[in-house]
Amino acid sequence: GCTKSEDGGTPSTSGTEGAQVVASNSAPAGPSCTLQQYGAAKLDLKNAVVGFSQSEKEANPFRIAETQSIRDEAARQGVKQLLVTNAQSQLSKQIADIQDMLNQGAQFLIVAPLNSDGLEPALQAAAAKKVPVLTIDRKINSKSCKDYLAFLGSNFVEQGKRAADAMIKVTGGTGKVAILLGSSGNNVTTDRTNGFVDQAKAKAPGLQIVAQQTGEFARDKGQQVMEQLLSSNPEITAVYAENDEMALGAVTAIKAANRKPGQDIKIVSIDGTRNAVQAIVDGTINAVIESNPRFGPLAFKTALDFYNGTAIPENVIIEDREYDSANAQSSLGSAY
Amino acid sequence: MAATTPKGVVLETHEVSKRFPGVLALDRVSMSVGPGEVHALVGENGAGKSTLIKVLTGVYRADGGEVRYRGAPVSFGRPLDAQHAGISTIYQEVNLVPLMSVARNLFLGREPRRVGLIDVARMNREASETLERYGINVDVTRPLRSISLGAQQMVALARAVAVGAHGDTARVLVMDEPTSSLEPREVETLFRVVRDLSAQGIAVVYVSHRLDELYELCQRVTVLRDGRVVHTGPIKGLDRLTLVSHMLGRDLVQVERDGVTGFGDHGEATSAEPLLHVDGLRKRHVLDGVSFTVRPGEVTGLGGLLGSGRSETAKAIVGALPLDDGSVTVGGRTLRRLSPAASLREGIALLPEDRKAEGIIPDLSVRENIVLAAMPRLARAGIVTRRRQDRIVRTFMERLRIKASSPEQRVAELSGGNQQKVLLARWLCLEPRLLLLDEPTRGIDVGAKAEVQKLIDELARDGLAVVLISSDLEELVEGADRVVVLRAGAVVGELAGDDVSEHAIMAAIAQEAADD
Amino acid sequence: MTELAVAAKRPVARYVQDYGVYGAVAVLLLFNAFFTDNFLQVSNLRTQLVQVAPVVIVALGMALVIGGEGVDLSVGSVMALAAAVIPLYLGFGVWPAVLMALVAGAVAGLVNGSLVAVVGLQPIVATLALLVAGRGLALVIADGQLKQIRNADLLALGEGGVLGLPLIAAVLAVVVGFVVHRTTYGRQLVAIGGNRPAAQLAGLPVKRVLIVTYVLCGVFAALAGVLATARLTASDPSAVGNLMELSAITAVVVGGTPLTGGRIRVLGTVAGALLMQLLRATLIQHGLPDSTAQMVQAAVILVAVYVARQRRTR
Amino acid sequence: MTAVLTTGGRQLPVSRVARSERIAALAQRHGALAVLLLSTLVASLVFDSFATFDNLTGISIQSSFLVVVAVGMTFVIITGGIDLSVGSVFALGGVVAAWASQYGLAPALLAPLLVCGAVGLLNGLVVAYTGLAPFIVTLATLLGARGLLLAITDEGARTFLVPRDAAFLDLGRGTLLGFGYPVWIAVLLCVLGGVLLQRTRYGQGVYAIGGSEDAAALMGLPVARIKVLTYLLSGLLAGFAGALNAARLGSGVTILGVGMELDAIAAVVIGGTLLIGGAGTVSGTLCGVLLLGVIQNVINQIGNLTSSVQSVVSGAFLVVVVVTQSYLSRVRRLR
Ligand SMILES: Nc1ncnc2c1ncn2[C@@H]1O[C@H](COP(=O)(O)OP(=O)(O)OP(=O)(O)O)[C@@H](O)[C@H]1O
Ligand SMILES: Nc1ncnc2c1ncn2[C@@H]1O[C@H](COP(=O)(O)OP(=O)(O)OP(=O)(O)O)[C@@H](O)[C@H]1O
Ligand SMILES: [Mg+2]
Ligand SMILES: [Mg+2]
């Protein structure tokens, strides 16, 4: 159409830079899973119908990159048909989606669970049809190699801990911290909070948590809550935001209050979106712990390994990078 | 009908007062009614009749005084309590549920049951039987709103009587203007029922503006004026003019001079070109080719029984009822698309029959209700100017003697008759060329009725074309220069000049019926 | 006419009912003045006004719709639509972009209005459809991406302190108040909300008035979307205006406008929005957890509406 | 004269009117069914995997919980009210049931009914005795119930699990003739709901209040009591649906039910119930829910739509369905 936007295209998410790497230190100590143990039939992925159940709308960089990565890799592997559904943040819809894909003949499922509990009916339906389910990005509370094949993704508690470490580094271990929580009732929120709080308590008693409020993982809510907190607690010197969007909202709020984000008030967040990494370059955010969404290659590799008879570890924990002022500029290209 | 003063008292009020914001609706009212007595409650619009009834039956709580029922003071919290105690009521506005079927309305709350569940077949059968006794012959499974107001009123009556007859606790029946939307035939039925009940020893409180009825039916009368009892006593021997002067608070001589009907002599039939041509209005099941003309300066009456399609004709003319076929021509121009807004631009106004559902905007003030349709004309560049409004409102409130605490009072708080006057004012201030009046005097007190009738006369004399729909044959005969008689959605006769008489109208209806 | 001129005497209860919201706002202000640190600072008050401004703007439109016996559930999605449209046209300059956003809101309102007034759908369902589809459309337009806004002129809209957003909201409130009480359109709208068949029979242009109302509501929502975008310094169609419909309806109803139509209280609506904003600020600044905060909000809504309820005479 | 009038009172051809009206009424009552059948037919023709047993049972079980909630909503809407709290109450019911399931089957069923019944009762009492608008009252309890849920679950951090061996689990997972228990329960509740509405005095009262509350009061119906019962019923059904869902999921998930009230309202309205109250049926609501399920299924069958396009499509579907339905019922309104 005759539209004319301010700047050029959106950053591309392709390229191999920033690809997921399996964390080397998390060697599979736990049980692993083989084709036989799982009781699935052998399958040639090339001619298979693969289903991907996305949990939330593709309305933030993480979900966009995640879905795109699965699509790209499926195309690269020459999968016959890839079914993609989106639960739009409704658990019951995710169950329905998975069942619908099974009914449409999906032979292998990749699921990004919306919640750690509650997917059992869908998993049972898959088990009944002997369709393996690989879960990505969020771990579910079920039996691996029975209810589902394996988990592929980050450790959210670990992310919280690393955020605390980064916070200690940028603040020198003292300060008054405000936490911008994710949505209430969400496992990710819980894990990232616990990891941060525990680590901070253990490592830096000088870090005092003065406020915790939910910013619902959204930028505008993050901004609004930060504005309120700055009013009531002007002594805040640091912000831990449980995702980048809220951190960016906080940056705007801090600027509006005539303080300097990144200097007067240190900011650490989790995700590693391009906007956040850019903010590090600009000096408004101090550190970002990555949560890598590019699951495609690793997910299909895991699937191929599985069908080739290799034992798959219960948890394939990926290595998340960490951005700070030292590496932000150089890593900007590979952020999503 | 002996004017025996009843022994004993079933229901009485003692110095009951009720205040609404701005008005003292009841001022220490005392009245009583005994078993088997039919007691008339009369007064001008806004005198407090409906309020008294609502206090009696637990809709309102009195501010002062006391209601005594069977000798003991009572205070009903809800209508249900009054009903349980044996007082059943027909309120002024039809109070049934329009979307529910006739039968379900009739039996609501006391449906016949079998093994705990409603026996629908039996309920429908009994409903048909009951209504037939009241001369209503309808498919009782149809929604109530699909039958005419008059028929609905009869359903309400049947219900009230049945609720009363239910069990042997029934002692009082209260009726607030039950006949305002009834045909003579149905009024007869109603009287029969009332007499029956009275013979069974049930006390009846009866409100009506039709004086004939009172003399025919009631033994005693209580007259209210401005919330106070101004007269109470046996009706026999009470001179009609005296009664009216009690109601109006004017002296006898003046009442005598003004007369009770407001219509003057018939003017000579005008020979002016017709203003309105209605041609072949057709709507399935409702209108079957209605055609007639209306001349300026003339009052054209529409006569017919309930459900003959008079209201529908009026609505069709202003475009409020989608038609299958037919045309409306005004001043020689055939209207293309009929809609209320378009006909208003042509100078056609309709005073609707059902003022509660189609007339008043309850939450707006009297002023705003009056100027509602005229607002665009009174505004400058879309901005409302109060001064012009106030002038018009004041004029009409005076002219129609609308009784309100101020022009800013919510119209819902006015008495029924005064609401009707507000609606009349809404249309009159538009200075229309053609005025369609559907039951304009329903529920209006004698004084106001005469005024309205006089007004209609005046308007016609000033060259306005008026279509008058009325169930009151006397009004039709006195008021109309010409009467078009409808039956089952078709014109079956037209009477003009000296031919217009009650008898002729009925004959027209009856003759056609005999032809069937 | 002297007896008519005598104003109706109004009992105390009626005053509480009519002015209860303002009282509640005052109470909350007092509470915070004493018990919340730094509450009376200019910067904090400014924050509250700036944050409440978009809600006020949306609620004003909502008040019109509700006054006409309708409701518009799509306002949040319309905000998202406006936010998504802005970056597309920012290359032409601020005003064309803002204009296009408002046009998008007007079109959305036109759709709603037509579904309600012409097709005759019930407002809740008619606007529910756009609630679902609107945000989807916004995301399609924006390709699911949040876009950083760098246009200084647009960003200036979001700054400017009390003279920025709050001023716009205040001016709009005055305008809407005037429209409701002083224009034919406003009075006709209230009449239609009060009794639609009667208004129809009185020859009022019912369809036109209703469509205009929904269009206004859409434009107001779009304006709020523009301002929210300016304030956020980014176009974020996935989050902007989330659950705004509930905030706006709450503000309107807490402000004393009945959901049954036929009455519009403009100042009350502003006060209703302020009340909810102050409440939220209080809860956040006192660090209450989400669970408690939600329960407290529920209680306050109930009490506020209870106080402002329409008593029936009996 | 009177005699003449009486015999002259020939009625309009009542039976003719009634018959055409009955057909129109049929179209209205079953408009949702007609649209449902039509879309099912089209979907079966277009998509191979639609009309399979698995898919149809899938749709039925997925819809069953919404059906239970929507039945309660139907009652509320017929009284002219609305219950926005059902989504939160649904989630609350699930959490409470999962927590209570460790104590056995009966507590797992009774505890949620108790808690959610209390919320419903609160709604009812406030609506009936203060005259506040149901929309705003239940909007408040929507928040309140969600807050309560968060408080119970430690701000959502705790998820109660149903013990693996609990009999309660069977309620959600067992099947009969290929259909899950929840489906049968939902159908049973629909039948009961229909009977309650059409064949009891309470049900008639529900219609009467919605048709004209003033009239209902003046006709001596216990208006307040009927309203309280209705909101109580809605709360109980929403809580029960939540419990049933917890039995199926095996845990008390905290994030459930957001926006469910809108789905329920949409289903009820698609089913031909008037939002202004006074008319509506449970069977229509059932069709409405199934229709939503079919739409969702079809969107998944189309496959490969992005989440945003999915929203646009389902919004558009909603309009088409409601407009079709409203035209079917228009026949009736014009008589
Ligand atoms: N709910 C109300 N609020 C305020 N004022 C009211 C209310 N109901 C009635 N009134 C006032 O009380 C007075 C008596 O009204 P009421 O309805 O009892 O008159 P009525 O005798 O029945 O008249 P009509 O013959 O016109 O029906 C009137 O002045 C009316 O305006
Ligand atoms: N006694 C009755 N029994 C059955 N149906 C009736 C009766 N009276 C009216 N109806 C129905 O009411 C409908 C229309 O009545 P309507 O009120 O329009 O007639 P009308 O001539 O305007 O009478 P009025 O204005 O005096 O009430 C008709 O369709 C008719 O079926
Ligand atoms: Mg009266
Ligand atoms: Mg009529």
Side-chain angles (χ1 to χ4, degrees), chain B residues 265-276 294-300 432-435 456-467 479-482:
Chain B
D265 291 334
H266 285 289
E268 310 82 59
T270 48
S271 50
E273 273 298 294
L275 174 69
L276 174 78
V294 181
R295 283 183 240 280
E298 190 185 58
V299 178
T300 306
R433 287 200 282 172
L434 170 65
L435 194 53
I456 296 174
D457 244 18
E458 270 170 37
L459 293 169
R461 214 161 286 158
D462 292 350
L464 189 77
V466 178
V467 174
D481 302 310
R482 221 152 41 86

Side-chain angles (χ1 to χ4, degrees), chain B residues 310-312 353 438-439 469:
Chain B
R310 298 164 301 171
S311 298
E312 267 81 2
E353 164 182 37
D438 197 351
E439 309 285 0
I469 301 174

